[in-house]
Amino acid sequence: MSQKLLVVEDEISISTLLQFNLEQAGFQVVTAMDGKSGLEKAESEGPNLIILDLMLPEMDGIEVCKELRQRKLNIPILMLTAKDDEFDKVLGLELGADDYMTKPFSPREVVARVKAILRRTAVNADSDKQKEEVEHLRIGEVDIYPENYEAYFKEKALELTPKEFELLVYLARHKSRVLSREQLLSAVWNYDFVGDTRIVDVHISHLREKIESNTRKPIYIKTIRGLGYKLEEPQ
Ligand code: CA
């Protein structure tokens, strides 16, 4: 399916030129002649990108830009500005335009810019999606990404053995809960019998060396006398 572009431009010659060249490049093009109808079409047509002229009747490009962001319409914007309008360019970019072009421009350049913005935003959308899908556990200054087998303390990668890592993940997923040594042994070491729980203590002490600034007074992994351990948010 071809991507849809919205061209908001009040100069008919420029609008026609853009529409022709963008359609030649395989895009579907919708046009609007002023800012107000441009905004309406941005909502009703759901374009993949908007080419937005700065100087427009009804609502200018900057107002359209602001209003789009306010309505949380995250459609990429290529702003068109008049020559030497440096201030407006900067302002346009600050308001959330993705790129700008100064008139006069060659239609070929517009097509190239449009493609570049669409490529860039597609990549960003993908990586945003990936970030959402990856489980992230955060306790104080400890960040854990279980699926990636990565953990960080104060944004520095922690060097953990596989069992230390699994233990940390298990504690983090059961944050603020008291876990007995037997429970940890069975969850992390898969011991379904009452084994030697000292192995848990040894691993806890190794973890503390890596994430506690004072292992004698731990603020993350607390010992609950007679019961076991608990990982909690530092106070
Ligand atoms: Ca204009």
Side-chain angles (χ1 to χ4, degrees):
M1 213 178 75
S2 69
Q3 304 205 71
K4 195 193 279 182
L5 310 178
L6 170 62
V7 175
V8 189
E9 167 65 81
D10 59 319
E11 277 167 76
I12 190 86
S13 59
I14 296 178
S15 178
T16 309
L17 182 74
L18 285 174
Q19 180 166 19
F20 176 78
N21 283 278
L22 291 163
E23 281 175 354
Q24 288 288 303
F27 294 104
Q28 192 189 335
V29 180
V30 179
T31 60
M33 303 293 286
D34 63 74
K36 205 162 160 280
S37 63
L39 192 61
E40 278 160 18
K41 285 192 178 170
E43 274 195 312
S44 61
E45 300 278 345
N48 298 92
L49 181 144
I50 303 172
I51 298 178
L52 181 63
D53 186 30
L54 186 68
M55 297 302 285
L56 290 165
E58 300 288 329
M59 262 177 112
D60 68 19
I62 287 174
E63 283 176 85
V64 173
C65 226
K66 264 193 210 165
E67 195 54 38
L68 283 170
R69 296 315 179 213
Q70 213 146 50
R71 297 187 192 179
K72 307 261 180 264
L73 287 167
N74 287 319
I75 305 165
I77 297 168
L78 172 59
M79 198 88 137
L80 302 180
T81 67
K83 215 179 171 189
D84 301 328
D85 240 349
E86 291 298 333
F87 174 74
D88 290 332
K89 278 180 215 166
V90 175
L91 192 59
L93 291 177
E94 276 177 3
L95 286 171
D98 294 82
D99 203 353
Y100 65 87
M101 288 194 75
T102 307
K103 293 176 185 176
F105 42 73
S106 78
R108 193 193 291 179
E109 200 185 341
V110 176
V111 172
R113 290 284 186 99
V114 165
K115 286 184 178 168
I117 297 171
L118 288 172
R119 255 198 316 272
R120 206 160 64 215
T121 48
V123 169
N124 287 343
D126 276 359
S127 63
D128 282 352
K129 214 170 116 207
Q130 272 175 4
K131 268 182 228 148
E132 275 169 31
E133 283 164 4
V134 171
E135 186 186 4
H136 175 201
L137 302 164
R138 184 177 176 85
I139 296 101
E141 290 187 286
V142 181
D143 289 285
I144 310 160
Y145 300 89
E147 284 132 88
N148 301 348
Y149 247 83
E150 285 168 8
Y152 299 85
F153 179 56
K154 295 189 174 175
E155 281 158 16
K156 276 175 69 183
L158 282 171
E159 305 244 340
L160 301 172
T161 66
K163 284 297 173 210
E164 286 166 9
F165 186 82
E166 285 175 47
L167 179 60
L168 182 61
V169 169
Y170 191 81
L171 288 166
R173 283 187 177 145
H174 300 83
K175 193 176 78 171
S176 306
R177 275 168 52 186
V178 181
L179 302 164
S180 71
R181 290 174 175 78
E182 288 76 16
Q183 216 172 331
L184 293 169
L185 201 57
S186 121
V188 179
W189 282 268
N190 296 317
Y191 291 173
D192 51 6
F193 58 91
V194 180
D196 187 347
T197 56
R198 273 176 303 181
I199 192 169
V200 176
D201 300 330
V202 169
H203 280 74
I204 290 282
S205 96
H206 288 164
L207 275 181
R208 279 179 175 155
E209 279 160 25
K210 292 167 187 178
I211 63 169
E212 301 284 3
S213 33
N214 181 355
T215 53
R216 290 178 176 280
K217 284 188 179 153
I219 57 167
Y220 286 99
I221 305 175
K222 297 283 180 68
T223 302
I224 310 299
R225 221 165 276 283
L227 292 172
Y229 296 104
K230 177 169 83 169
L231 177 65
E232 59 181 22
E233 289 284 345
Q235 301 300 310

